[in-house]
Amino acid sequence: MLAAFLRPSQPLLNFGPRVKGRFASNLPMVIPGVSSLGGIILKTHSGGTLHLPPADPPVGPSSTGVSTYKKSYLCPSTNILRTSAHVGVDFSSPSNPSKGPVGSGPNDISIPLARELSRGSALRLLATLTSHVPISSLKQVISLRGSIREGHDFTSHGKVINAASEVFIQVLGPEKGVGVRSCSGAG
């Protein structure tokens, strides 16, 4: 699972980032069309494209008829966008969900598959972010938190969460896409 804190730049509706009178070519932006995953297509920092799934709806309703929580919240006083946890998905095999601890046991998920799940979690997180603010307005990843269900012998938490960090670097670049990060086990 991943959660992030990001700081959008001011103003939030900055759809046309410009540098010296021209559109900035290295800023992420939405490309018209529908991605192969059903969401939007982003132009990445390096000029490539990244396909996102549709943004998740809020979870709920509770017994009172009100959603129990939001997938993200933009604090008006700090201008920090906070997200809830996003569980990893292997988009190459969505009908066969991967469940279980990461490790080397006979029923454990391998590190390469766990990295793919981490990457899927980051794609879902980006879909949530872009459903609330324009991708070009994101100023900085502040914090990325990852939680991994690990087997008894697993010690490579950072290697798994790196796959999610790499997605943010791919989209926002090495300066804006890197913030503080924490990884923890949820064995």
Side-chain angles (χ1 to χ4, degrees):
M1 290 188 298
L2 291 177
F5 300 146
L6 295 104
R7 183 179 299 275
S9 61
Q10 294 285 346
L12 282 178
L13 298 176
N14 180 12
F15 287 101
R18 294 183 177 267
V19 175
K20 296 184 182 177
R22 298 187 324 253
F23 279 99
S25 61
N26 65 341
L27 292 176
M29 59 183 7
V30 175
I31 297 173
V34 178
S35 84
S36 60
L37 299 176
I40 63 171
I41 304 170
L42 294 180
K43 176 183 166 242
T44 64
H45 176 76
S46 61
T49 59
L50 186 67
H51 291 247
L52 298 182
D56 291 340
V59 175
S62 69
S63 59
T64 63
V66 177
S67 291
T68 54
Y69 70 89
K70 298 177 182 183
K71 292 303 270 185
S72 66
Y73 173 74
L74 179 64
C75 178
S77 60
T78 63
N79 204 32
I80 293 177
L81 182 67
R82 298 174 188 267
T83 68
S84 64
H86 288 68
V87 176
V89 174
D90 179 4
F91 288 108
S92 66
S93 180
S95 62
N96 186 15
S98 300
K99 296 182 179 181
V102 181
S104 60
N107 297 320
D108 290 353
I109 294 172
S110 68
I111 290 177
L113 178 54
R115 284 181 50 81
E116 194 57 39
L117 294 169
S118 179
R119 178 176 164 68
S121 183
L123 294 176
R124 291 181 63 226
L125 188 56
L126 276 169
T128 296
L129 297 172
T130 58
S131 72
H132 294 288
V133 297
I135 189 70
S136 61
S137 73
L138 293 179
K139 185 176 177 183
Q140 178 69 50
V141 171
I142 297 171
S143 173
L144 183 67
R145 296 180 301 190
S147 179
I148 300 168
R149 181 176 172 209
E150 83 260 317
H152 74 281
D153 62 343
F154 184 72
T155 60
S156 299
H157 300 77
K159 185 182 267 188
V160 171
I161 300 301
N162 276 349
S165 296
E166 291 162 5
V167 170
F168 284 97
I169 294 167
Q170 180 183 359
V171 172
L172 300 171
E175 294 297 318
K176 294 180 180 182
V178 177
V180 298
R181 186 184 75 183
S182 63
C183 310
S184 62

